[in-house]
Amino acid sequence: MILDLLAPTLDFAGDSDRLNPVTLFLDADIVVQAIMLGLILASVWVWTIIVTFTFRIARVNRTCDEYEDGFWKAQNFEAFQKERRRADVPMGKVAGSGLAEWRRNAQVPTLDAEGARQRIALALTSSVGEEAENLSNRLNFLATVGSVAPFVGLFGTVWGIMNSFFQIGQQQNSSLAVVAPGISEALFATAIGLFAAIPAVIAYNRFSHRVNMVESRLQRFADKLHAALTRQLESR
């Protein structure tokens, strides 16, 4: 009903010689309409992820900058960590894992220096991987849409063309006036599939690179922290 009302308003200033997307959708077969609707919803969700992830990755970089700057200036790592423990900062979580493992090893009466180094390194590396996974948990949807949406749109196109040929057989008329509208509606499904897939692929590649950069940064921080903590253990 809403689309019926919108169709006249989207008639591109009354130019009937131009394509009207709403009319193409309304005149399409029910199967093609369902495919178009699914692709439109996927496109909306893709753009939602793009916008939210852009703000999220910017916030992560900003908070990590602030945390790292204060961490290396602190006289006591544990005291600084206790002050910032409620902050949702990936770098802070990595530091927390390393400090927790360091504390457990420091309480052992007989210290195994090599074993302590390995355990601290394992705790830090595991935390870095966990933070990278948490940061990229929505990117799989972008990859899925980018690879699947064109084929879903193509399926709608094939179905629409099949329906057009069926109408030719029903009407016993193979003129272009009979075939063209159905083919236009069918091809519109492929267009929507590409509209959903192209931004998804671009965003997935870009955001994967940004996540890799954050992960590399966390790993460098973890390596520096590992060196500092093992140095303190060995000086006992």
Side-chain angles (χ1 to χ4, degrees):
M1 185 65 178
I2 296 176
L3 292 175
D4 289 332
L5 296 174
L6 287 176
T9 65
L10 295 178
D11 195 20
F12 300 99
D15 189 354
S16 59
D17 294 333
R18 302 178 70 115
L19 290 174
N20 187 326
V22 177
T23 301
L24 288 175
F25 176 82
L26 293 175
D27 293 341
D29 182 79
I30 184 63
V31 174
V32 181
Q33 285 184 344
I35 291 172
M36 289 180 182
L37 184 60
L39 290 172
I40 291 171
L41 293 176
S43 179
V44 170
W45 188 239
V46 163
W47 281 103
T48 301
I49 293 175
I50 290 173
V51 172
T52 57
F53 193 88
T54 300
F55 285 107
R56 184 183 180 189
I57 199 73
R59 181 179 60 83
V60 166
N61 284 318
R62 184 179 66 254
T63 55
C64 284
D65 286 339
E66 296 172 356
Y67 183 91
E68 187 173 17
D69 184 62
F71 185 86
W72 295 121
K73 291 179 180 178
Q75 298 295 325
N76 187 306
F77 291 159
E78 287 194 283
F80 179 83
Q81 180 66 16
K82 287 180 181 178
E83 293 175 2
R84 301 294 297 271
R85 63 185 177 182
R86 293 184 179 180
D88 186 19
V89 183
M91 194 170 285
K93 294 180 181 179
V94 172
S97 299
L99 289 169
E101 186 61 36
W102 172 83
R103 196 180 306 113
R104 285 190 290 268
N105 285 275
Q107 294 172 352
V108 177
T110 304
L111 176 65
D112 177 10
E114 182 60 29
R117 281 195 294 267
Q118 293 180 4
R119 286 189 291 271
I120 294 173
L122 183 61
L124 289 168
T125 302
S126 177
S127 183
V128 168
E130 183 178 354
E131 292 305 313
E133 288 179 2
N134 290 338
L135 191 59
S136 61
N137 61 357
R138 288 189 176 183
L139 298 187
N140 286 336
F141 183 80
L142 297 180
T144 301
V145 172
S147 59
V148 173
F151 295 101
V152 175
L154 183 60
F155 172 75
T157 297
V158 172
W159 184 274
I161 292 174
M162 289 170 56
N163 187 58
S164 295
F165 280 111
F166 177 78
Q167 294 300 324
I168 290 174
Q170 290 291 99
Q171 299 180 24
Q172 299 295 319
N173 187 350
S174 61
S175 67
L176 190 61
V178 174
V179 180
I183 294 179
S184 297
E185 297 154 11
L187 291 173
F188 189 47
T190 296
I192 296 177
L194 294 175
F195 179 78
I198 292 173
V201 171
I202 295 173
Y204 176 78
N205 291 333
R206 179 59 180 167
F207 290 156
S208 294
H209 176 66
R210 297 290 296 277
V211 170
N212 290 336
M213 291 178 63
V214 172
E215 185 176 9
S216 297
R217 180 181 183 181
L218 293 178
Q219 189 59 57
R220 289 193 299 270
F221 173 80
D223 292 340
K224 293 180 182 178
L225 181 58
H226 178 263
L229 295 178
T230 53
R231 192 180 302 116
Q232 291 184 21
L233 284 176
E234 292 170 356
S235 64
R236 288 179 55 190

Short mmCIF file of all heavy atoms in Angstrom, two decimals, residues 181-235:
data_model
loop_
_atom_site.label_atom_id
_atom_site.label_comp_id
_atom_site.label_asym_id
_atom_site.label_seq_id
_atom_site.Cartn_x
_atom_site.Cartn_y
_atom_site.Cartn_z
N PRO A 181 8.91 -5.47 -20.41
CA PRO A 181 8.64 -5.12 -19.01
C PRO A 181 9.09 -6.20 -18.03
O PRO A 181 9.70 -5.89 -17.00
CB PRO A 181 7.12 -4.93 -18.98
CG PRO A 181 6.75 -4.60 -20.38
CD PRO A 181 7.68 -5.40 -21.23
N GLY A 182 8.80 -7.45 -18.34
CA GLY A 182 9.20 -8.53 -17.45
C GLY A 182 10.71 -8.66 -17.33
O GLY A 182 11.24 -8.90 -16.25
N ILE A 183 11.42 -8.48 -18.44
CA ILE A 183 12.88 -8.56 -18.41
C ILE A 183 13.46 -7.38 -17.61
O ILE A 183 14.42 -7.54 -16.85
CB ILE A 183 13.45 -8.59 -19.84
CG1 ILE A 183 13.02 -9.89 -20.54
CG2 ILE A 183 14.96 -8.46 -19.83
CD1 ILE A 183 13.50 -10.02 -21.96
N SER A 184 12.87 -6.21 -17.75
CA SER A 184 13.33 -5.05 -16.98
C SER A 184 13.17 -5.30 -15.48
O SER A 184 14.07 -4.99 -14.69
CB SER A 184 12.53 -3.80 -17.38
OG SER A 184 12.74 -3.48 -18.74
N GLU A 185 12.04 -5.84 -15.09
CA GLU A 185 11.82 -6.15 -13.69
C GLU A 185 12.81 -7.20 -13.20
O GLU A 185 13.32 -7.13 -12.08
CB GLU A 185 10.39 -6.65 -13.49
CG GLU A 185 9.32 -5.60 -13.83
CD GLU A 185 8.00 -6.22 -14.24
OE1 GLU A 185 7.86 -7.45 -14.06
OE2 GLU A 185 7.14 -5.49 -14.75
N ALA A 186 13.10 -8.17 -14.08
CA ALA A 186 14.04 -9.23 -13.69
C ALA A 186 15.45 -8.68 -13.52
O ALA A 186 16.15 -9.00 -12.55
CB ALA A 186 14.03 -10.33 -14.75
N LEU A 187 15.88 -7.85 -14.46
CA LEU A 187 17.23 -7.27 -14.38
C LEU A 187 17.37 -6.33 -13.19
O LEU A 187 18.47 -6.14 -12.67
CB LEU A 187 17.55 -6.53 -15.68
CG LEU A 187 17.73 -7.41 -16.92
CD1 LEU A 187 17.90 -6.54 -18.16
CD2 LEU A 187 18.94 -8.33 -16.75
N PHE A 188 16.28 -5.75 -12.75
CA PHE A 188 16.31 -4.87 -11.58
C PHE A 188 16.77 -5.64 -10.33
O PHE A 188 17.41 -5.06 -9.45
CB PHE A 188 14.93 -4.26 -11.37
CG PHE A 188 14.89 -3.17 -10.33
CD1 PHE A 188 15.84 -2.16 -10.33
CD2 PHE A 188 13.91 -3.17 -9.36
CE1 PHE A 188 15.80 -1.17 -9.37
CE2 PHE A 188 13.86 -2.19 -8.40
CZ PHE A 188 14.80 -1.17 -8.39
N ALA A 189 16.43 -6.92 -10.27
CA ALA A 189 16.87 -7.74 -9.14
C ALA A 189 18.40 -7.86 -9.11
O ALA A 189 19.03 -7.78 -8.05
CB ALA A 189 16.23 -9.13 -9.21
N THR A 190 19.01 -8.05 -10.28
CA THR A 190 20.47 -8.11 -10.34
C THR A 190 21.08 -6.77 -9.95
O THR A 190 22.11 -6.72 -9.25
CB THR A 190 20.93 -8.49 -11.76
OG1 THR A 190 20.47 -9.80 -12.07
CG2 THR A 190 22.44 -8.45 -11.87
N ALA A 191 20.45 -5.68 -10.38
CA ALA A 191 20.95 -4.34 -10.02
C ALA A 191 20.94 -4.14 -8.51
O ALA A 191 21.90 -3.61 -7.93
CB ALA A 191 20.11 -3.27 -10.71
N ILE A 192 19.88 -4.58 -7.85
CA ILE A 192 19.81 -4.45 -6.40
C ILE A 192 20.86 -5.33 -5.73
O ILE A 192 21.47 -4.95 -4.73
CB ILE A 192 18.39 -4.80 -5.89
CG1 ILE A 192 17.38 -3.79 -6.44
CG2 ILE A 192 18.35 -4.81 -4.37
CD1 ILE A 192 15.95 -4.09 -6.05
N GLY A 193 21.07 -6.53 -6.29
CA GLY A 193 22.11 -7.41 -5.75
C GLY A 193 23.49 -6.77 -5.81
O GLY A 193 24.26 -6.84 -4.85
N LEU A 194 23.79 -6.12 -6.92
CA LEU A 194 25.08 -5.42 -7.05
C LEU A 194 25.13 -4.21 -6.12
O LEU A 194 26.18 -3.90 -5.55
CB LEU A 194 25.29 -4.98 -8.50
CG LEU A 194 25.46 -6.12 -9.51
CD1 LEU A 194 25.54 -5.56 -10.92
CD2 LEU A 194 26.71 -6.93 -9.19
N PHE A 195 23.99 -3.54 -5.95
CA PHE A 195 23.93 -2.39 -5.06
C PHE A 195 24.25 -2.79 -3.62
O PHE A 195 24.86 -2.02 -2.87
CB PHE A 195 22.54 -1.75 -5.13
CG PHE A 195 22.36 -0.58 -4.23
CD1 PHE A 195 22.88 0.66 -4.57
CD2 PHE A 195 21.66 -0.71 -3.03
CE1 PHE A 195 22.71 1.76 -3.72
CE2 PHE A 195 21.49 0.37 -2.18
CZ PHE A 195 22.02 1.62 -2.53
N ALA A 196 23.83 -3.99 -3.24
CA ALA A 196 24.14 -4.48 -1.89
C ALA A 196 25.56 -5.03 -1.80
O ALA A 196 26.23 -4.86 -0.78
CB ALA A 196 23.14 -5.57 -1.50
N ALA A 197 26.04 -5.67 -2.87
CA ALA A 197 27.32 -6.37 -2.81
C ALA A 197 28.52 -5.44 -2.90
O ALA A 197 29.52 -5.63 -2.18
CB ALA A 197 27.39 -7.41 -3.93
N ILE A 198 28.47 -4.44 -3.76
CA ILE A 198 29.65 -3.60 -4.00
C ILE A 198 30.10 -2.87 -2.73
O ILE A 198 31.28 -2.93 -2.36
CB ILE A 198 29.39 -2.63 -5.17
CG1 ILE A 198 29.28 -3.42 -6.48
CG2 ILE A 198 30.50 -1.60 -5.27
CD1 ILE A 198 28.85 -2.58 -7.67
N PRO A 199 29.21 -2.17 -2.02
CA PRO A 199 29.66 -1.53 -0.76
C PRO A 199 30.14 -2.54 0.27
O PRO A 199 31.07 -2.25 1.03
CB PRO A 199 28.41 -0.79 -0.27
CG PRO A 199 27.53 -0.66 -1.45
CD PRO A 199 27.80 -1.86 -2.29
N ALA A 200 29.50 -3.71 0.29
CA ALA A 200 29.90 -4.73 1.27
C ALA A 200 31.32 -5.21 1.02
O ALA A 200 32.11 -5.37 1.97
CB ALA A 200 28.92 -5.91 1.21
N VAL A 201 31.67 -5.45 -0.24
CA VAL A 201 33.02 -5.91 -0.56
C VAL A 201 34.06 -4.84 -0.24
O VAL A 201 35.11 -5.11 0.37
CB VAL A 201 33.11 -6.31 -2.05
CG1 VAL A 201 34.55 -6.59 -2.44
CG2 VAL A 201 32.24 -7.54 -2.31
N ILE A 202 33.77 -3.60 -0.64
CA ILE A 202 34.71 -2.51 -0.37
C ILE A 202 34.89 -2.32 1.13
O ILE A 202 36.03 -2.19 1.63
CB ILE A 202 34.21 -1.20 -1.03
CG1 ILE A 202 34.21 -1.34 -2.55
CG2 ILE A 202 35.07 -0.02 -0.60
CD1 ILE A 202 33.58 -0.16 -3.28
N ALA A 203 33.79 -2.32 1.87
CA ALA A 203 33.87 -2.12 3.32
C ALA A 203 34.58 -3.28 4.00
O ALA A 203 35.38 -3.06 4.92
CB ALA A 203 32.46 -1.96 3.91
N TYR A 204 34.32 -4.50 3.55
CA TYR A 204 34.98 -5.66 4.17
C TYR A 204 36.50 -5.58 3.99
O TYR A 204 37.25 -5.80 4.95
CB TYR A 204 34.45 -6.95 3.55
CG TYR A 204 35.15 -8.18 4.09
CD1 TYR A 204 34.84 -8.70 5.33
CD2 TYR A 204 36.14 -8.82 3.33
CE1 TYR A 204 35.50 -9.81 5.83
CE2 TYR A 204 36.80 -9.93 3.82
CZ TYR A 204 36.47 -10.42 5.07
OH TYR A 204 37.13 -11.53 5.56
N ASN A 205 36.95 -5.28 2.79
CA ASN A 205 38.39 -5.18 2.55
C ASN A 205 39.02 -4.06 3.37
O ASN A 205 40.09 -4.21 3.96
CB ASN A 205 38.67 -4.97 1.06
CG ASN A 205 38.32 -6.18 0.23
OD1 ASN A 205 38.36 -7.31 0.71
ND2 ASN A 205 37.96 -5.97 -1.02
N ARG A 206 38.34 -2.92 3.41
CA ARG A 206 38.87 -1.77 4.15
C ARG A 206 38.89 -2.05 5.65
O ARG A 206 39.91 -1.80 6.32
CB ARG A 206 38.02 -0.53 3.85
CG ARG A 206 38.44 0.72 4.59
CD ARG A 206 39.85 1.09 4.27
NE ARG A 206 40.26 2.30 4.98
CZ ARG A 206 41.51 2.71 5.08
NH1 ARG A 206 42.48 2.00 4.52
NH2 ARG A 206 41.80 3.81 5.73
N PHE A 207 37.79 -2.57 6.18
CA PHE A 207 37.72 -2.80 7.61
C PHE A 207 38.62 -3.95 8.06
O PHE A 207 39.15 -3.93 9.17
CB PHE A 207 36.27 -3.07 8.03
CG PHE A 207 35.37 -1.86 7.93
CD1 PHE A 207 34.00 -2.01 7.77
CD2 PHE A 207 35.90 -0.59 7.97
CE1 PHE A 207 33.18 -0.90 7.67
CE2 PHE A 207 35.08 0.53 7.86
CZ PHE A 207 33.72 0.37 7.72
N SER A 208 38.79 -4.96 7.21
CA SER A 208 39.72 -6.04 7.55
C SER A 208 41.13 -5.50 7.70
O SER A 208 41.88 -5.90 8.60
CB SER A 208 39.68 -7.12 6.47
OG SER A 208 38.43 -7.76 6.43
N HIS A 209 41.48 -4.57 6.82
CA HIS A 209 42.80 -3.94 6.93
C HIS A 209 42.92 -3.15 8.23
O HIS A 209 43.96 -3.21 8.91
CB HIS A 209 43.02 -3.02 5.72
CG HIS A 209 44.29 -2.24 5.78
ND1 HIS A 209 45.53 -2.83 5.72
CD2 HIS A 209 44.52 -0.90 5.90
CE1 HIS A 209 46.47 -1.91 5.80
NE2 HIS A 209 45.88 -0.73 5.92
N ARG A 210 41.86 -2.43 8.60
CA ARG A 210 41.89 -1.65 9.84
C ARG A 210 42.00 -2.56 11.06
O ARG A 210 42.72 -2.25 12.01
CB ARG A 210 40.62 -0.78 9.94
CG ARG A 210 40.47 0.25 8.84
CD ARG A 210 41.48 1.37 8.96
NE ARG A 210 41.31 2.13 10.18
CZ ARG A 210 40.44 3.13 10.34
NH1 ARG A 210 39.64 3.47 9.32
NH2 ARG A 210 40.37 3.78 11.47
N VAL A 211 41.27 -3.68 11.03
CA VAL A 211 41.37 -4.63 12.15
C VAL A 211 42.77 -5.21 12.25
O VAL A 211 43.32 -5.38 13.34
CB VAL A 211 40.31 -5.75 12.00
CG1 VAL A 211 40.56 -6.86 13.01
CG2 VAL A 211 38.91 -5.19 12.17
N ASN A 212 43.36 -5.54 11.10
CA ASN A 212 44.73 -6.06 11.11
C ASN A 212 45.71 -5.04 11.68
O ASN A 212 46.66 -5.41 12.39
CB ASN A 212 45.15 -6.46 9.70
CG ASN A 212 44.42 -7.68 9.19
OD1 ASN A 212 43.94 -8.50 9.97
ND2 ASN A 212 44.34 -7.83 7.88
N MET A 213 45.48 -3.78 11.37
CA MET A 213 46.34 -2.73 11.92
C MET A 213 46.20 -2.64 13.44
O MET A 213 47.21 -2.50 14.15
CB MET A 213 46.00 -1.39 11.28
CG MET A 213 46.39 -1.28 9.81
SD MET A 213 45.93 0.32 9.08
CE MET A 213 46.95 1.43 10.06
N VAL A 214 44.97 -2.72 13.93
CA VAL A 214 44.75 -2.69 15.38
C VAL A 214 45.38 -3.92 16.04
O VAL A 214 46.02 -3.82 17.09
CB VAL A 214 43.25 -2.61 15.70
CG1 VAL A 214 43.00 -2.77 17.20
CG2 VAL A 214 42.66 -1.29 15.22
N GLU A 215 45.22 -5.08 15.41
CA GLU A 215 45.80 -6.30 15.97
C GLU A 215 47.33 -6.21 16.02
O GLU A 215 47.95 -6.61 17.01
CB GLU A 215 45.38 -7.51 15.14
CG GLU A 215 45.85 -8.84 15.71
CD GLU A 215 45.35 -10.03 14.92
OE1 GLU A 215 44.78 -9.81 13.84
OE2 GLU A 215 45.52 -11.16 15.40
N SER A 216 47.93 -5.67 14.97
CA SER A 216 49.39 -5.50 14.96
C SER A 216 49.82 -4.54 16.06
O SER A 216 50.84 -4.75 16.73
CB SER A 216 49.85 -4.98 13.60
OG SER A 216 49.56 -5.91 12.58
N ARG A 217 49.03 -3.49 16.25
CA ARG A 217 49.36 -2.54 17.31
C ARG A 217 49.26 -3.18 18.69
O ARG A 217 50.14 -2.97 19.54
CB ARG A 217 48.40 -1.35 17.22
CG ARG A 217 48.66 -0.30 18.27
CD ARG A 217 47.69 0.85 18.16
NE ARG A 217 48.01 1.87 19.13
CZ ARG A 217 47.31 3.00 19.27
NH1 ARG A 217 46.29 3.24 18.48
NH2 ARG A 217 47.65 3.88 20.19
N LEU A 218 48.22 -3.96 18.91
CA LEU A 218 48.08 -4.66 20.19
C LEU A 218 49.21 -5.65 20.40
O LEU A 218 49.71 -5.81 21.52
CB LEU A 218 46.73 -5.37 20.24
CG LEU A 218 45.48 -4.49 20.28
CD1 LEU A 218 44.22 -5.37 20.28
CD2 LEU A 218 45.48 -3.58 21.50
N GLN A 219 49.64 -6.32 19.33
CA GLN A 219 50.72 -7.28 19.46
C GLN A 219 52.04 -6.58 19.79
O GLN A 219 52.83 -7.10 20.59
CB GLN A 219 50.86 -8.08 18.16
CG GLN A 219 51.82 -9.26 18.26
CD GLN A 219 51.40 -10.25 19.33
OE1 GLN A 219 50.29 -10.78 19.30
NE2 GLN A 219 52.28 -10.50 20.29
N ARG A 220 52.29 -5.43 19.19
CA ARG A 220 53.50 -4.68 19.53
C ARG A 220 53.48 -4.23 20.98
O ARG A 220 54.50 -4.30 21.69
CB ARG A 220 53.64 -3.46 18.61
CG ARG A 220 54.00 -3.80 17.17
CD ARG A 220 54.43 -2.56 16.40
NE ARG A 220 53.37 -1.57 16.33
CZ ARG A 220 52.47 -1.52 15.36
NH1 ARG A 220 52.49 -2.41 14.37
NH2 ARG A 220 51.54 -0.58 15.35
N PHE A 221 52.30 -3.78 21.44
CA PHE A 221 52.17 -3.40 22.85
C PHE A 221 52.40 -4.61 23.75
O PHE A 221 53.07 -4.51 24.79
CB PHE A 221 50.77 -2.83 23.09
CG PHE A 221 50.45 -2.56 24.53
CD1 PHE A 221 50.92 -1.41 25.16
CD2 PHE A 221 49.67 -3.45 25.26
CE1 PHE A 221 50.63 -1.16 26.49
CE2 PHE A 221 49.37 -3.21 26.59
CZ PHE A 221 49.85 -2.06 27.21
N ALA A 222 51.85 -5.76 23.35
CA ALA A 222 52.02 -6.98 24.14
C ALA A 222 53.49 -7.39 24.21
O ALA A 222 53.97 -7.84 25.26
CB ALA A 222 51.17 -8.11 23.55
N ASP A 223 54.21 -7.25 23.11
CA ASP A 223 55.64 -7.60 23.11
C ASP A 223 56.43 -6.70 24.06
O ASP A 223 57.31 -7.18 24.80
CB ASP A 223 56.20 -7.49 21.70
CG ASP A 223 55.64 -8.54 20.76
OD1 ASP A 223 55.13 -9.56 21.26
OD2 ASP A 223 55.70 -8.34 19.52
N LYS A 224 56.12 -5.41 24.03
CA LYS A 224 56.82 -4.49 24.95
C LYS A 224 56.48 -4.81 26.40
O LYS A 224 57.36 -4.79 27.27
CB LYS A 224 56.42 -3.05 24.62
CG LYS A 224 56.90 -2.54 23.28
CD LYS A 224 56.44 -1.10 23.07
CE LYS A 224 56.87 -0.58 21.70
NZ LYS A 224 56.39 0.80 21.47
N LEU A 225 55.21 -5.09 26.65
CA LEU A 225 54.80 -5.41 28.02
C LEU A 225 55.43 -6.72 28.48
O LEU A 225 55.85 -6.84 29.64
CB LEU A 225 53.27 -5.49 28.10
CG LEU A 225 52.68 -5.79 29.48
CD1 LEU A 225 53.11 -4.74 30.50
CD2 LEU A 225 51.15 -5.86 29.40
N HIS A 226 55.50 -7.68 27.58
CA HIS A 226 56.14 -8.96 27.93
C HIS A 226 57.59 -8.76 28.33
O HIS A 226 58.07 -9.34 29.32
CB HIS A 226 56.04 -9.90 26.73
CG HIS A 226 56.71 -11.23 26.95
ND1 HIS A 226 57.99 -11.49 26.52
CD2 HIS A 226 56.27 -12.35 27.57
CE1 HIS A 226 58.32 -12.72 26.85
NE2 HIS A 226 57.29 -13.27 27.48
N ALA A 227 58.29 -7.93 27.59
CA ALA A 227 59.69 -7.65 27.92
C ALA A 227 59.81 -6.98 29.27
O ALA A 227 60.69 -7.33 30.09
CB ALA A 227 60.32 -6.79 26.84
N ALA A 228 58.92 -6.03 29.55
CA ALA A 228 58.98 -5.31 30.83
C ALA A 228 58.64 -6.22 32.01
O ALA A 228 59.30 -6.19 33.06
CB ALA A 228 58.03 -4.11 30.79
N LEU A 229 57.63 -7.06 31.85
CA LEU A 229 57.21 -7.93 32.95
C LEU A 229 58.23 -9.03 33.22
O LEU A 229 58.52 -9.35 34.39
CB LEU A 229 55.83 -8.55 32.64
CG LEU A 229 54.66 -7.56 32.54
CD1 LEU A 229 53.38 -8.29 32.19
CD2 LEU A 229 54.50 -6.79 33.85
N THR A 230 58.76 -9.63 32.18
CA THR A 230 59.77 -10.69 32.41
C THR A 230 61.05 -10.10 32.99
O THR A 230 61.74 -10.77 33.76
CB THR A 230 60.07 -11.42 31.09
OG1 THR A 230 60.43 -10.46 30.08
CG2 THR A 230 58.86 -12.20 30.62
N ARG A 231 61.36 -8.87 32.65
CA ARG A 231 62.53 -8.21 33.23
C ARG A 231 62.35 -8.04 34.73
O ARG A 231 63.30 -8.23 35.51
CB ARG A 231 62.75 -6.87 32.55
CG ARG A 231 64.11 -6.24 32.88
CD ARG A 231 64.25 -4.90 32.18
NE ARG A 231 64.11 -5.02 30.74
CZ ARG A 231 63.15 -4.47 30.03
NH1 ARG A 231 62.21 -3.77 30.64
NH2 ARG A 231 63.09 -4.63 28.73
N GLN A 232 61.12 -7.70 35.15
CA GLN A 232 60.86 -7.56 36.57
C GLN A 232 60.93 -8.89 37.29
O GLN A 232 61.41 -8.97 38.43
CB GLN A 232 59.48 -6.92 36.79
CG GLN A 232 59.38 -5.46 36.36
CD GLN A 232 58.02 -4.87 36.69
OE1 GLN A 232 57.30 -5.36 37.54
NE2 GLN A 232 57.68 -3.78 36.02
N LEU A 233 60.45 -9.95 36.65
CA LEU A 233 60.54 -11.28 37.26
C LEU A 233 61.98 -11.71 37.46
O LEU A 233 62.35 -12.28 38.49
CB LEU A 233 59.78 -12.31 36.41
CG LEU A 233 58.25 -12.29 36.49
CD1 LEU A 233 57.69 -13.31 35.53
CD2 LEU A 233 57.76 -12.58 37.90
N GLU A 234 62.79 -11.45 36.46
CA GLU A 234 64.19 -11.89 36.53
C GLU A 234 65.00 -11.09 37.53
O GLU A 234 66.06 -11.54 37.99
CB GLU A 234 64.83 -11.78 35.13
CG GLU A 234 64.25 -12.77 34.15
CD GLU A 234 64.70 -12.50 32.71
OE1 GLU A 234 65.42 -11.48 32.51
OE2 GLU A 234 64.33 -13.28 31.82
N SER A 235 64.52 -9.89 37.89
CA SER A 235 65.25 -9.06 38.85
C SER A 235 64.89 -9.38 40.30
O SER A 235 65.41 -8.75 41.21
CB SER A 235 64.95 -7.58 38.58
OG SER A 235 63.57 -7.28 38.80
#
